Amino acid sequence: MNKRKKRYHTRKILITTAIFASSIPILFSALSPTNKGKTEAQVSVPVLSKNENRALRRYNNNYHLKLAQAKGLEKPLVSKDEYKTSPKEFGRRYDLDKITDNKYYEIPHLTNSLPYLQEPAVEFLDLLGEAFCDQLEELGIRKYRFSVTSILRTIEDQKSLRKKNVNATPNNSSHYYGRTFDISQTRFFERGNSKPVYTYRLRNILLRVLIKLQTEGKCYVLLEGQTKCIHVTVR
Ligand SMILES: [Zn+2]
């Protein structure tokens, strides 16, 4: 190889290396789940209007209970014993699906409930997650997950809740039937981050999405003041 050819060859290698090196960050960002957009703190979200607040209290607990009883499990489970002795059998026996953290929501350690719901309620949670993410995208906000804090309760769970919480109804609860769950009003997680963010902005966005789904006849939503929960029963 003569000198000129050799120089050309070296230059070619250098250029190729440079192009390759400069494309690494692009490649990396395409593969990694980056969270684009503003943080919730960088946006302003209007507070709920009187009408919106009214919509969130239109269907009281009685509606939730009647609906859950009509569509959900035949009768409440007495305790978690059955689940504890055969967790694998449990879902199959009652035709319930286990839910776990996904890209839309996070389930903290549950003390007074089990992470099981009937299929339509599981599907609804994903629908809600998708609609919430779409709304965030529309507002230029990065992706956040909401937190599902109470799911399927047994009679024993309800009894122990009653001691701590005035909102837990004494004898009956829609949480017995596999169609009802609670979402934290203010606890969210930025996607890819395990540290919770407490925010009323995301709460209001999520509540607006829920009002829309309620208007479409997909669910009943009840804003529980004292527990800071959003109580949802799937129709
Ligand atoms: Zn509830």
Side-chain angles (χ1 to χ4, degrees):
M1 208 185 284
N2 65 31
K3 257 187 178 171
R4 238 179 82 192
K5 254 193 175 165
K6 206 172 171 183
R7 249 196 333 258
Y8 171 75
H9 197 68
T10 315
R11 212 164 48 219
K12 208 172 147 190
I13 290 173
L14 279 173
I15 291 169
T16 315
T17 313
I19 290 172
F20 180 70
S22 68
S23 67
I24 286 175
I26 299 167
L27 203 73
F28 185 73
S29 71
L31 293 174
S32 70
T34 46
N35 207 343
K36 284 185 203 145
K38 297 173 193 156
T39 66
E40 56 79 32
Q42 291 171 316
V43 292
S44 82
V45 177
V47 295
L48 297 177
S49 69
K50 229 182 222 173
N51 271 342
E52 285 172 326
N53 268 309
R54 208 172 295 142
L56 293 165
R57 289 179 174 84
R58 186 163 296 143
Y59 299 102
N60 65 21
N61 246 317
N62 232 7
Y63 282 93
H64 289 253
L65 184 60
K66 289 264 155 59
L67 172 60
Q69 284 174 326
K71 297 212 167 175
L73 295 183
E74 228 169 89
K75 57 178 191 211
L77 299 162
V78 177
S79 74
K80 285 200 184 88
D81 290 352
E82 208 175 336
Y83 165 76
K84 282 177 189 159
T85 45
S86 54
K88 275 186 191 157
E89 271 294 298
F90 182 78
R92 217 172 308 149
R93 185 172 307 150
Y94 294 101
D95 201 14
L96 293 168
D97 293 344
K98 188 173 184 180
I99 59 168
T100 49
D101 292 4
N102 68 13
K103 60 179 175 175
Y104 297 129
Y105 53 83
E106 188 263 359
I107 301 163
H109 178 69
L110 301 169
T111 46
N112 288 307
S113 67
L114 291 167
Y116 284 88
L117 286 171
Q118 286 188 335
E119 202 183 0
V122 180
E123 283 169 4
F124 176 88
L125 266 174
D126 283 338
L127 178 81
L128 173 64
E130 214 177 296
F132 180 55
C133 281
D134 286 350
Q135 196 51 42
L136 293 177
E137 203 175 312
E138 209 168 288
L139 297 166
I141 306 171
R142 57 182 65 176
K143 300 283 189 294
Y144 286 88
R145 301 184 301 151
F146 52 85
S147 197
V148 187
T149 52
S150 187
I151 312 172
L152 176 73
R153 292 181 198 155
T154 67
I155 293 174
E156 263 181 22
D157 290 330
Q158 189 69 12
K159 270 186 196 159
S160 80
L161 266 176
R162 219 171 91 203
K163 291 175 191 155
K164 309 179 220 166
N165 166 10
V166 285
N167 271 5
T169 40
N171 304 314
N172 225 331
S173 164
S174 50
H175 283 275
Y176 287 155
Y177 302 95
R179 306 283 288 205
T180 301
F181 51 85
D182 289 343
I183 299 175
S184 166
Q185 282 191 41
T186 53
R187 184 178 144 108
F188 293 85
F189 293 84
E190 199 182 306
R191 201 180 272 182
N193 195 333
S194 59
K195 209 175 131 218
V197 179
Y198 295 89
T199 160
Y200 274 85
R201 298 180 189 93
L202 295 180
R203 164 201 186 258
N204 293 345
I205 295 169
L206 182 66
L207 285 173
R208 288 199 167 101
V209 173
L210 278 164
I211 292 171
K212 187 171 172 274
L213 293 172
Q214 178 175 263
T215 310
E216 289 169 2
K218 294 188 170 76
C219 61
Y220 288 147
V221 187
L222 180 65
L223 204 57
E224 292 184 332
Q226 277 140 317
T227 53
K228 294 262 172 251
C229 274
I230 311 167
H231 180 77
V232 182
T233 302
V234 176
R235 292 176 80 170

